Amino acid sequence: MKRLTIIVPCYNEEAVLPSSLSQLTALLQQLIDQQAVAPTSRLLFVDDGSRDQTWSLIASAQLNNQLVTGLQFSRNFGHQSALLAGLTVASQDADIMITIDADLQDDIQAIPKMIALSTQADVIYGVRDSRKTDTWFKRWSATMFYSLMHGLGVEMVPNAADFRLMSKRAVLALLDLPERNMFLRGMVPLVGFPTQKVFYDRKPRTAGETKYPLRKMIAFAVDGITSFSTVPLRLIMNLGIFVVFIGVVLMIYSLIRKFTGQVVAGWSSLMVSMWVLGGVQLIALSVLGEYVSKVFKEVKRRPRFIIQTDTYSQQKPNETSNSTTA
C-alpha cells in the first residue's frame, strides 16, 4: 500500500480549521481502514505565519489525533511557498502527496478517485466541472486568464488550481526546479510524467474570508505570466514599432495642417510626445521592471520558506501506524 500525505496550507483559517480537521481525519481513517493507503499515512497542516489561532488549533489537534502533523513558518511566506514546504517535508517518506486548501471548497470525495488513478499516472489534477459557484466577473476573468496563458505558450490545466495528487518521483522532480518565483500551476506541468484528471464540483466557502481577493488575483496572474513567458518583452518592441509608425503619420498630418493654415500651436508636440510616447515608456518600464525584479529575487537565492516548528519529521511512521490501527 502507498503511504499518503495530505498537505493543507493554512493562513488565518481558525474559522474553518475545526471542520477541516474533522472531515480530513475521517476521510483518511476511512482510506486506511479500507486498505486504500498505508496505515502510516498522515495529514500535514502548514501554517503560513497566521496571525490568528490557526497554529494553536493544529498543535492541539496533534495531541489527540496521531494522524495530524504540522509545519509552522517563522513568518508569512505565501500560499505557494506553503505548498512547496509541505511537499518538501512529505517527500521524505510519502509515496503519494495530495495538496488541498484548508477551506475544503475542493471536494474531498475526489481524493479516493485520485488515489485509485495513482497507479496509472504520477500527477492527478483536480479539475472543476463547472464554475457555477463563482460570480460572473470571476468566471470571465478566469476564462481570460487561461486563454491568455495559453496564448503566451504557458502549459496549464484550465480550471485546475492547487488540488492535485503527485507521486514521489514527480514531487522530487518539481523540487529540483530552483526558481524562487513560485507559480506551481505552471511548474507542475513542466515536470512531465503521465497525468490524469478527476472532475468535481467546487463548494461555496462555509466560513472565513477568501485569501485571494481581486488585488491578489491580479498579482498572481502577473506573476504567472512574467515567470513563464518572455512574450511581453517582445510585445514592447512591437509596440515601439507601432508607436513610431503612428508618430510618423501624425507628423505628416501635422505638416499638412500647417501648410493649410489649420494648425494650432503646440498641438502636435503635445499629442505625439507627451501622451503617446509617455504612455508607451511607462508601460515598457513597468514590464521591464517586473522582469528585473524577478531576476533580482533569483540571484539573491534567499530561502523560499523558513520552518519554525516541524512535527511531521519528528513523528516516526511506526508511531503513526500503532495509533491509527488501535
Side-chain angles (χ1 to χ4, degrees), residues 212-245:
Y212 273 94
L214 180 60
R215 175 180 58 83
K216 284 192 174 183
M217 288 179 64
I218 293 174
F220 185 70
V222 171
D223 189 51
I225 292 170
T226 54
S227 293
F228 281 86
S229 177
T230 58
V231 171
L233 293 175
R234 291 196 293 271
L235 288 177
I236 290 176
M237 182 182 68
N238 295 333
L239 182 61
I241 295 172
F242 176 73
V243 169
V244 169
F245 173 75

Side-chain angles (χ1 to χ4, degrees), residues 125-140:
Y125 294 102
V127 181
R128 297 177 62 172
D129 222 356
S130 69
R131 304 188 71 98
K132 59 185 179 183
T133 58
D134 290 345
T135 62
W136 172 85
F137 176 77
K138 196 165 185 178
R139 289 196 299 268
W140 174 81

Side-chain angles (χ1 to χ4, degrees), residues 13 16 19-20 23 101-108 128 130-135 138 200-210:
E13 296 288 5
V16 300
S19 174
S20 301
Q23 293 183 57
D101 288 341
D103 56 22
L104 297 191
Q105 287 186 265
D106 299 316
D107 188 5
I108 64 172
R128 297 177 62 172
S130 69
R131 304 188 71 98
K132 59 185 179 183
T133 58
D134 290 345
T135 62
K138 196 165 185 178
Y200 68 96
D201 289 324
R202 188 171 171 86
K203 303 175 183 177
R205 190 179 179 94
T206 56
E209 297 180 353
T210 177

